[in-house]
Amino acid sequence: MKEYRTITQIAGPLVFVGKTEPVGYGELVNIVQSDGTMKRGQVLDTSDEIVVVQVFEDTRGIGRDSGIRFTGETIKMPVGRDMLGRILSGGGKPKDGGPDIVPEKRLDIIGAAINPYARASPRQFIQTGISTIDATNTLVRGQKLPIFSGSGLPHNEIALQIARQSKVPGSDEEFAVVFAAMGITKEEENQFMADFERTGALEHAVVFLNLADDPAVERIVTPRLALTTAEYLAFELGYHVLVILTDMTNYCEALRQIGAAREEVPGRRGYPGYMYTDLASIYERAGIIKGKKGSVTQFSILTMPGDDITHPIPDLSGYITEGQIVVSRELHRKGIYPPINVLPSLSRLMNLGIGDKMTREDHKKVSDQLYAAYAEGNDLRGLVAIVGKDALSERDRQFLEFADLFEGKFVRQGHYEDRSIQESLDLGWELLATLPEEQLVRIDRDLIRKYHPKYRKQGA
Amino acid sequence: MEVKGSNKGTLKRISGPVVTAVGLDAHMYDVVKVGNEQLMGEVIKIQGDNIIIQVYEDTSGIRPGEPVENTGLSLAVELGPGLLTSIYDGIQRPLEVLMDKMGDFIERGVSAPGLSHETKWDFVPTKKAGDEVGPGTIIGEVQETNILHRIMVPPNVKGGRIKEIKSGSFTVEETVCVLEDGTQLQMMHKWPVRVPRPVTEKKNPDIPLITGQRILDGLFPIAKGGTAAIPGPFGSGKTVTQQALAKWSDAEIVVYIGCGERGNEMTEVLTEFPELEDPKTGKPLMERTVLIANTSNMPVAAREASVYTGITIAEYFRDMGYDVSLMADSTSRWAEAMREISSRLEEMPGEEGYPAYLAARLSEFYERAGRVETLDHESGSVTVIGAVSPPGGDFSEPVTQNTLRIVKVFWALDAKLSQRRHFPAINWLNSYSLYLDTLHDWYDQNVSAEWNTIRAWAMEVLQKEAELQEIVQLVGSDALPDEEQVTIEVARMLREIFLQQNAFDPVDTYCNMEKQYDILKTIRLYADGAYGAQKAGVATAQIVALKAKNDLPQIKFTKDYKADLEKIVANMDAEFKALREA
């Protein structure tokens, strides 16, 4: 392999190399420093005159005396069955002191798009044991559902609880967890790893760790390595894979850093104009393929800068993912765990996975009614602040109390409290029963007669 | 094809989806084959010897020095029997064929014709030898699905006298008709996607596109051949609304462009449409549908092209004399694709990094809608409904603003409404339709002479409620005068009974004009009764608590509702009477 010593410019994570033979776009590059250490990079722009290489690691130590080797192939990742139970770096190197991965296959990490025609529709209900997700924002297999959170909120606890409790009721198919951390702190890592070890989840997990002090540019490849692994496990080996990506905000920051180094025209708030396409190439790698056994379900966590849901990162994510679970600082301050605010939360695939034969026939209507009643009660809080409780009508008072009950009983649950969907729905009915029956306009009378606690007690 | 100078060149630079070639004779928007793998691309800029090309497929691994070949043709679609029920990517490659050729994932370098060149179709001529035909003249028919596919003289063919016309079973490439000047006509012809197909005349849009959605047909109607925009922040039910329109609108042909949207959502459309029945024919909806699916992770240049591919297919069916509705979900993704390519070209950016020609491209696109007299003097229309996804729900951003300058109907989706599970989450205060005047007569003649009055009344009540709500927010509802408390109650009924519609309920998902009118009329009846009772001195609380009206919401979910409705009206009358006499 030819080694070039024709570096003309180094700027941030980018190395410009002149006078090369034709080099392929997207090719993997090895950079040999004068002291013999090797770093990796990728071709971002190639022409007769100049090749731009994006280095995945720190460029410290790279100089005009460093050698550049073009490998002639795009970035591939060795994958194999023995990856389960392993901890790898954000660049895919073993980090647990174990041996290298025995490759059964080497896959391109830029996954091709699944042909929409080959996709099967996701419709299998996943029970997370958390009422605000199961009953009101149901997750189904093959869905991509992010958690929109803010700094200092317990999104990691929620993600762990989901990873711990998720199951498809009445099924014991093989499942695996792929966990990719981008720019999280050592403390957070410890929290995740301790929980994985305690619950034995590590056995069927593959962990990729890019910590806060690892090179930012490496974060660009971490999620792609994780998803390539997940696709291999799902579509070649038939596992049902839950992918947890945290924190996508750090990923986007890295993207912006590279864009700035390339002197690109920035889009909104300095993020590159192609961020939507780039994020889509990550989030869209979830789903089910017709005739294949496995599935890839994605749970990504992102912290909204300044709790601003209109910030480009949550905004673009929300347009790609199939809904979002929004963690609320206000509920957190009230001491409610998990502080999931159902009002801005949404699961777009919910209707595919619920109802008769899947969860329960009253699921959709109960969920709609809970939403509507909570929204109304929540609005009234603003009014109470101005006119006081006494000025409210009897009906309004009932809705106001409902909102408090909803937060205190339905939203709030223990870290290890694993509610079945039946329990969550029954709990919903219990709360709805505090409202006058004629106010339950979203629910058919037949269902009210069948499930309303008042009638159920009579029947029993 | 005439070969000019050198139709072969070499690659000089590759930067993502944009590549530069040298030594190539090219014109703007020529289709070229790039690299050893012959990836499809299109010339988008010529700069001295440098020919800048956008490539419709992933360019990883392509090197400088690889060959580039110019086909000398523009990006075109194949038009003919076989379009219906097809699912295409952005450059009219059938996804089903791609799956057969390369498996579950979309690899690159595979070409596939838009129409099957093997399938035989039964061609029935409608013209005979000796007949004079011109551009766009219908010369025969093919029963494609339950839709009759009319075969026409391509608009760019001069026409003349028919020498010979055949009848029988042919592929789309076989000649079915020969003109006296020797021109051979096939069932298929190609048309460049960036060129609007010609028509005889554009007509005034004065017939509504009936959608079966109460808030749309009732309050903010769109005309056949009109343009509408649905802007909405994510999670406000934009996709559900568009899908409801695709399912239920009374267009004869539906073209649905999934432009840069979610893969799973496209799958939902793909699995649902073949199962759904067309409310008019009872046949699967898919039989009148053409789908274009270019998901967000498919190549960005093909996303740019997908909108043109879609509208060209829509225009083709319009030229047969059909009413076509085209849904583009979402035009924001299309605009972003333009932005992405523009920034790779290092063009001077306009507002928010979008290219300066954004407004021009958007208006060119929407202008391809319209109700027309075709070249064959039939009437046809293309209605364009574009979704816009404003970042952060901010309507002041360039794509929304430039779209609003062109379109005539605006259905403002509102995240607040969807959070309350008020669906369709279309805000009745911010939405508008500029077709109300042109459609006035149609409603007069086809629904009821009362319709326009009662519609105006409903809007007035809703507007009044918005004002009252501001007061209620401050002082509580009990502080309102009695009459206005009734207004609040009537507005609540309008919102909850008329405006809310459940897309997932088998009956409520489609509501015909007669039922829409009946529901509105009943609410009006209650309102008149209520104000009347109030004047007679009945207490407001009693009026608001009227029992009979509690049954009204159930009407929405009842198929044969007439008897029930009569009962409700009778009960209402009786109750009001009892109250007045008490």
Side-chain angles (χ1 to χ4, degrees):
Chain A
M1 197 186 297
K2 238 184 185 170
E3 190 172 303
Y4 295 94
R5 287 181 189 278
T6 51
I7 295 180
T8 58
Q9 190 190 338
I10 304 170
L14 302 184
V15 172
F16 297 73
V17 189
K19 287 180 258 158
T20 60
E21 306 267 296
V23 172
Y25 174 75
E27 221 170 82
L28 179 67
V29 183
N30 289 323
I31 300 140
V32 188
Q33 287 175 210
S34 52
D35 61 358
T37 51
M38 188 137 91
K39 285 177 174 165
R40 293 187 311 157
Q42 185 185 13
V43 175
L44 272 192
D45 195 327
T46 169
S47 68
D48 295 346
E49 294 120 39
I50 205 106
V51 174
V52 184
V53 178
Q54 165 192 327
V55 184
F56 292 132
E57 291 154 69
D58 197 351
T59 43
R60 184 175 325 209
I62 300 179
R64 296 186 59 184
D65 56 349
S66 303
I68 305 283
R69 294 178 191 163
F70 296 101
T71 60
E73 61 173 18
T74 47
I75 304 181
K76 297 230 162 50
M77 178 187 189
V79 288
R81 200 178 290 265
D82 66 349
M83 292 178 87
L84 286 173
R86 297 295 304 271
I87 301 170
L88 308 169
S89 75
K93 298 258 167 9
K95 216 182 173 181
D96 50 4
D100 280 350
I101 305 296
V102 181
E104 288 170 39
K105 259 196 172 173
R106 287 166 50 79
L107 298 176
D108 206 327
I109 68 159
I110 313 290
I114 301 178
N115 187 330
Y117 194 77
R119 281 181 185 266
S121 190
R123 50 183 65 222
Q124 206 164 18
F125 166 66
I126 297 181
Q127 181 178 298
T128 64
I130 297 175
S131 297
T132 37
I133 296 177
D134 292 350
T136 46
N137 293 288
T138 317
L139 175 69
V140 295
R141 259 185 191 162
Q143 185 173 12
K144 39 191 182 290
L145 192 63
I147 298 180
F148 286 7
S149 184
S151 25
L153 296 178
H155 42 264
N156 289 341
E157 282 83 353
I158 298 172
L160 278 171
Q161 190 169 3
I162 290 165
R164 207 160 48 219
Q165 298 180 166
S166 287
K167 58 184 156 293
V168 171
S171 129
D172 52 354
E173 288 164 287
E174 283 195 285
F175 79 103
V177 174
V178 173
F179 178 81
M182 291 157 277
I184 64 168
T185 60
K186 183 73 192 159
E187 269 172 56
E188 285 174 299
E189 182 211 330
N190 289 343
Q191 185 192 0
F192 277 108
M193 296 318 295
D195 200 81
F196 282 161
E197 271 164 38
R198 191 173 59 241
T199 57
L202 196 56
E203 265 171 61
H204 47 244
V206 189
V207 178
F208 293 86
L209 292 176
N210 167 288
L211 297 186
D213 56 350
D214 286 333
V217 188
E218 192 184 76
R219 281 164 213 162
I220 301 293
V221 283
T222 310
R224 299 194 159 84
L225 295 175
L227 288 161
T228 307
T229 310
E231 282 171 352
Y232 175 75
L233 293 173
F235 303 131
E236 309 253 342
L237 303 182
Y239 284 93
H240 290 288
V241 186
L242 181 68
V243 182
I244 301 175
L245 304 172
T246 179
D247 171 333
M248 286 304 288
T249 305
N250 295 334
Y251 171 85
C252 294
E253 297 298 338
L255 208 60
R256 176 162 70 174
Q257 194 182 333
I258 293 163
R262 289 182 70 183
E263 296 177 0
E264 289 169 342
V265 181
R268 260 201 324 150
R269 299 222 192 165
Y271 293 95
Y274 49 81
M275 191 155 90
Y276 178 81
T277 308
D278 191 277
L279 284 174
S281 73
I282 293 176
Y283 292 134
E284 271 292 328
R285 291 172 81 176
I288 307 174
I289 291 178
K290 280 182 211 159
K292 295 260 166 87
K293 213 176 125 216
S295 64
V296 177
T297 308
Q298 240 188 64
F299 238 112
S300 35
I301 297 168
L302 59 89
T303 44
M304 300 181 279
D307 291 351
D308 176 10
I309 201 166
T310 66
H311 184 280
I313 299 173
D315 191 51
L316 295 179
S317 298
Y319 275 121
I320 307 166
T321 55
E322 282 133 359
Q324 67 276 337
I325 303 287
V326 180
V327 182
S328 142
R329 197 169 295 278
E330 202 189 323
L331 287 176
H332 182 60
R333 279 204 201 107
K334 286 188 191 165
I336 292 168
Y337 173 89
I340 293 173
N341 184 358
V342 297
L343 294 179
S345 299
L346 169 78
S347 164
R348 287 168 183 274
L349 302 183
M350 172 166 179
N351 290 323
L352 298 174
I354 63 169
D356 201 13
K357 295 197 183 84
M358 292 181 282
T359 54
R360 215 166 76 180
E361 54 178 335
D362 58 331
H363 191 154
K364 164 112 181 91
K365 303 268 162 110
V366 170
S367 163
D368 282 354
Q369 186 67 63
L370 286 170
Y371 256 101
Y374 178 55
E376 182 156 6
N378 201 33
D379 279 354
L380 286 166
R381 285 177 176 161
L383 181 60
V384 169
I386 300 172
V387 299
K389 224 173 187 169
D390 297 340
L392 290 188
S393 66
E394 176 61 24
R395 175 181 181 279
D396 286 355
R397 251 198 303 276
Q398 283 167 333
F399 275 91
L400 190 67
E401 275 159 28
F402 175 84
D404 291 336
L405 268 178
F406 182 80
E407 288 171 6
K409 285 194 156 172
F410 191 81
V411 179
R412 187 200 298 272
Q413 67 185 86
H415 284 69
Y416 289 87
E417 187 179 352
D418 188 357
R419 293 183 191 154
S420 75
I421 180 65
Q422 276 73 22
E423 285 168 345
S424 290
L425 291 176
D426 288 346
L427 185 59
W429 273 111
E430 213 175 283
L431 300 183
L432 290 176
T434 64
L435 296 172
E437 197 185 316
E438 66 273 9
Q439 294 296 342
L440 306 181
V441 287
R442 310 284 175 131
I443 309 178
D444 305 357
R445 286 177 192 174
D446 298 350
L447 290 175
I448 291 184
R449 257 174 231 125
K450 193 161 166 193
Y451 291 102
H452 194 291
K454 188 168 95 189
Y455 298 101
R456 278 220 246 182
K457 270 179 207 127
Q458 285 171 357
Chain B
M1 182 182 74
E2 191 197 358
V3 179
K4 313 152 282 189
S6 154
N7 69 336
K8 288 212 165 78
T10 48
L11 278 177
K12 188 179 164 197
R13 177 181 176 194
I14 298 106
S15 171
V18 173
V19 303
T20 309
V22 287
L24 189 72
D25 261 355
H27 296 96
M28 284 296 274
Y29 297 110
D30 279 352
V31 171
V32 293
K33 304 271 181 186
V34 175
N36 296 327
E37 290 177 71
Q38 301 228 310
L39 308 182
M40 198 162 144
E42 195 179 15
V43 175
I44 49 170
K45 190 172 177 182
I46 299 172
Q47 211 168 31
D49 289 340
N50 292 337
I51 307 295
I52 322 265
I53 298 160
Q54 61 173 344
V55 183
Y56 293 126
E57 295 174 82
D58 179 35
T59 52
S60 292
I62 308 290
R63 299 161 184 237
E66 289 191 25
V68 180
E69 193 187 325
N70 188 1
T71 63
L73 303 169
S74 308
L75 182 66
V77 286
E78 295 189 344
L79 301 168
L83 281 171
L84 293 173
T85 74
S86 285
I87 300 144
Y88 294 117
D89 76 350
I91 46 175
Q92 213 207 7
R93 294 186 302 178
L95 290 174
E96 194 174 353
V97 176
L98 292 187
M99 192 172 92
D100 291 342
K101 284 195 174 178
M102 52 195 184
D104 297 333
F105 291 86
I106 295 190
E107 309 290 344
R108 64 184 189 191
V110 177
S111 60
L115 299 177
S116 161
H117 290 192
E118 283 87 48
T119 311
K120 294 212 171 211
W121 300 93
D122 285 326
F123 176 77
V124 183
T126 53
K127 295 276 182 216
K128 55 186 187 305
D131 283 355
E132 199 71 44
V133 293
T137 307
I138 307 289
I139 55 167
E141 292 169 345
V142 168
Q143 191 70 47
E144 190 178 349
T145 55
N146 62 319
I147 300 280
L148 207 54
H149 194 116
R150 304 196 176 105
I151 308 296
M152 67 191 79
V153 178
N156 51 358
V157 167
K158 191 163 98 266
R161 200 183 293 277
I162 296 177
K163 186 174 157 205
E164 187 199 353
I165 189 159
K166 297 177 190 168
S167 166
S169 194
F170 302 98
T171 70
V172 291
E173 283 181 309
E174 286 173 318
T175 299
V176 293
C177 178
V178 185
L179 302 184
E180 276 184 351
D181 64 356
T183 310
Q184 301 196 335
L185 301 177
Q186 294 81 28
M187 282 195 271
M188 173 187 90
H189 70 269
K190 290 194 177 183
W191 191 264
V193 296
R194 294 181 199 276
V195 182
R197 289 170 66 88
V199 296
T200 302
E201 188 196 11
K202 277 210 172 185
K203 294 198 281 192
N204 252 347
D206 50 14
I207 303 171
L209 182 80
I210 297 297
T211 63
Q213 311 301 306
R214 286 185 292 269
I215 184 158
L216 305 186
D217 297 345
L219 298 189
F220 309 107
I222 181 171
K224 284 193 172 123
T227 51
I230 315 185
F234 62 81
S236 56
K238 174 171 59 70
T239 309
V240 177
T241 309
Q242 279 225 326
Q243 288 181 3
L245 282 169
K247 280 180 214 164
W248 304 120
S249 72
D250 68 343
E252 287 150 300
I253 307 287
V254 174
V255 179
Y256 190 97
I257 310 171
C259 174
E261 285 292 311
R262 305 175 180 87
N264 278 333
E265 233 158 51
M266 279 322 294
T267 309
E268 206 183 317
V269 175
L270 297 186
T271 44
E272 224 177 63
F273 273 37
E275 286 169 21
L276 282 171
E277 263 182 27
D278 183 339
K280 280 177 303 175
T281 60
K283 295 275 172 55
L285 262 186
M286 200 62 198
E287 294 203 348
R288 56 162 199 175
T289 308
V290 183
L291 288 173
I292 293 166
N294 208 77
T295 58
S296 54
N297 56 342
M298 282 155 79
V300 67
R303 193 191 310 160
E304 195 267 337
S306 64
V307 165
Y308 293 105
T309 301
I311 192 124
T312 309
I313 293 173
E315 285 177 338
Y316 172 64
F317 281 103
R318 172 203 68 193
D319 290 347
M320 292 179 210
Y322 286 121
D323 290 318
V324 185
S325 74
L326 176 125
M327 322 276 159
D329 186 12
S330 135
T331 56
S332 294
R333 306 287 157 248
W334 176 49
E336 276 162 18
M338 279 191 249
R339 174 167 73 181
E340 197 169 328
I341 289 158
S342 161
S343 89
R344 301 258 185 196
L345 290 175
E346 290 163 10
E347 289 174 338
M348 182 70 82
E351 216 180 330
E352 290 199 16
Y354 286 102
Y357 46 79
L358 172 75
R361 292 279 169 87
L362 280 170
S363 52
E364 275 164 27
F365 166 67
Y366 280 105
E367 201 49 28
R368 286 175 79 168
R371 201 161 87 82
V372 306
E373 183 182 330
T374 67
L375 291 178
D376 204 27
H377 309 293
E378 294 281 331
S379 168
S381 68
V382 174
T383 310
V384 173
I385 297 161
V388 185
S389 325
D394 169 17
F395 287 178
S396 70
E397 59 91 38
V399 182
T400 313
Q401 280 306 312
N402 284 313
T403 305
L404 288 185
R405 275 211 292 277
I406 313 157
V407 300
K408 297 281 191 297
V409 179
F410 176 64
W411 294 320
L413 287 171
D414 189 336
K416 270 219 150 127
L417 289 174
S418 71
Q419 284 174 16
R420 287 151 195 270
R421 294 298 184 262
H422 175 110
F423 288 118
I426 296 170
N427 186 312
W428 50 92
L429 298 171
N430 297 341
S431 303
Y432 61 77
S433 164
L434 300 182
Y435 292 115
L436 285 173
D437 286 339
T438 44
L439 298 177
H440 189 281
D441 290 349
W442 188 93
Y443 281 109
D444 233 13
Q445 287 151 19
N446 294 281
V447 183
S448 159
E450 299 282 303
W451 173 264
N452 289 297
T453 333
I454 205 167
R455 180 206 167 272
W457 167 78
M459 275 311 290
E460 204 184 300
V461 172
L462 289 168
Q463 180 61 45
K464 178 88 185 159
E465 186 208 21
E467 287 161 24
L468 293 177
Q469 281 297 351
E470 277 173 29
I471 303 171
V472 171
Q473 289 294 319
L474 289 175
V475 296
S477 62
D478 288 350
L480 288 181
D482 283 351
E483 194 189 321
E484 290 179 343
Q485 286 189 33
V486 173
T487 306
I488 293 254
E489 176 64 13
V490 173
R492 190 190 63 77
M493 287 169 72
L494 282 173
R495 279 189 288 112
E496 290 183 4
I497 304 172
F498 187 73
L499 297 183
Q500 281 185 17
Q501 191 163 357
N502 187 345
F504 299 98
D505 183 276
V507 176
D508 198 31
T509 182
Y510 180 86
C511 184
N512 63 30
M513 282 314 297
E514 192 190 351
K515 190 166 175 183
Q516 295 191 22
Y517 178 58
D518 282 341
I519 293 177
L520 216 46
K521 208 169 54 183
T522 314
I523 298 175
R524 175 75 199 250
L525 221 56
Y526 167 78
D528 292 345
Y531 292 123
Q534 207 161 42
K535 279 211 188 87
V538 181
T540 311
Q542 280 179 308
I543 297 172
V544 172
L546 203 78
K547 276 215 182 65
K549 73 182 167 66
N550 291 344
D551 293 321
L552 195 54
Q554 293 296 325
I555 292 294
K556 296 200 283 187
F557 310 108
T558 316
K559 197 157 186 213
D560 300 311
Y561 64 95
K562 288 271 186 191
D564 287 355
L565 192 65
E566 268 168 38
K567 215 182 289 166
I568 292 170
V569 172
N571 287 344
M572 222 154 69
D573 274 349
E575 266 187 85
F576 273 130
K577 199 164 166 228
L579 283 176
R580 277 197 305 271
E581 283 161 8

